[in-house]
């Protein structure tokens, strides 16, 4: 995998938005897999700025969701469908008709998961999947010990993840659902390009395990080592525990500009 160390979150957002803009130039109908959480916001802001400046056309782009809470109605402000509408689709001017996501309120959860995997495949697969990383190494909501071959399915959140996400629910952990639907690790690995952004020292252990640890289900993000085109973008804080940081810096500085990420 390629590791890019950037000075701060804004620079990471701009780098990744640039890669998305290039993808959209090459393939205007690209299916972009997007992630929720605080970390990817600078990506969406940078991409929206490019759209506003007329530098990139997203009118034919399609957006796919990574994970969703089970039981929150779609119109709940913290359902990930609502969050993505607010933070990604509306700022980019993309309509919900171009949105792919699992139904978190389906009575037949298993059927909804299978239907979502089928919908992604029928749409031609995800071209570029954005990922955040949990302090416990999760990607999507694939918590530690998730099967590295897993498909979209229901998962139970760890207590740590519910604590981490309580900030979106007025700090009240009681409001954070216990269950989620998440693209599986096997599903995520089918995207053509994986781009993980991590910022802040709180992510340094998870990033080191992802990049320099063994491929192991206990750190789900380490599955990125199995992907032919995975890019991990980290700020100085998140890079703090990387033993190969100097090599990663050297490689990026000396990279031919045409190569992109
Ligand atoms: P965060 O979440 O970006 O809000 O830290 C990341 C994640 O849980 O995947």
């Amino acid at each position: 995998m390629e590791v890019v160390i950037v000075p701060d979150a804004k620079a990471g957002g701009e780098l990744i938005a640039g890669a998305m803009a290039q993808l959209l130039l090459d393939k205007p109908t690209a299916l972009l897999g997007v992630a929720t959480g605080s970390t990817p916001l600078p990506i969406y802001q940078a991409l929206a700025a490019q759209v506003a400046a007329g530098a990139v056309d997203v009118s034919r782009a399609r957006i796919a969701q990574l994970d969703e809470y089970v039981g929150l109605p779609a119109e709940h402000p913290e359902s990930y469908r609502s969050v993505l509408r607010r933070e990604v689709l509306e700022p980019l001017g993309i309509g919900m008709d171009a949105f792919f996501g699992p139904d978190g309120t389906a009575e037949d959860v298993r059927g909804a998961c299978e239907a979502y995997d089928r919908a992604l495949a029928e749409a031609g697969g995800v071209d570029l999947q954005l990922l955040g990383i949990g302090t416990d190494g999760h990607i999507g909501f694939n918590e530690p010990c998730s099967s590295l071959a897993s498909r979209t399915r229901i998962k139970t959140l760890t207590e740590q993840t519910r604590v981490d996400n309580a900030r979106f629910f007025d700090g009240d952990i009681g409001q954070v659902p216990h269950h989620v639907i998440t693209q599986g690790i096997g599903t995520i690995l089918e995207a053509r390009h994986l781009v993980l952004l991590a910022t802040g020292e709180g992510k340094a252990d998870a990033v080191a395990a992802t990049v320099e640890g063994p491929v192991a289900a206990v750190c789900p993000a380490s599955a990125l080592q199995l992907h032919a085109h995975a890019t991990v973008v980290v700020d100085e804080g998140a890079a703090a525990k990387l033993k190969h940081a100097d090599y990663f810096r050297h490689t990026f500085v000396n990279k031919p500009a045409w190569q992109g990420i």
Side-chain angles (χ1 to χ4, degrees), residues 36-40 132-134 138 140 165 167-168 203:
T36 48
S38 310
T39 310
I133 185 169
H138 71 211
N165 286 6
R167 67 190 194 279
F168 299 116
K203 300 290 174 70

Side-chain angles (χ1 to χ4, degrees), residues 41-106:
L41 295 178
I43 306 171
Y44 306 139
Q45 285 155 7
L47 190 60
Q50 293 209 29
V51 171
V56 54
D57 176 13
V58 292
S59 61
R60 296 169 66 203
R62 299 165 301 152
I63 301 288
Q65 185 173 5
L66 186 57
D67 43 21
E68 181 59 279
Y69 290 115
V70 168
L72 287 191
E75 58 280 8
H76 187 289
E78 293 307 325
S79 79
Y80 281 172
R81 185 175 292 247
S82 291
V83 171
L84 291 171
R85 190 170 52 222
R86 210 162 52 231
E87 292 173 350
V88 181
L89 287 117
E90 286 174 1
L92 295 179
I94 298 176
M96 288 305 281
D97 52 334
F99 181 79
F100 294 75
D103 179 359
T105 57

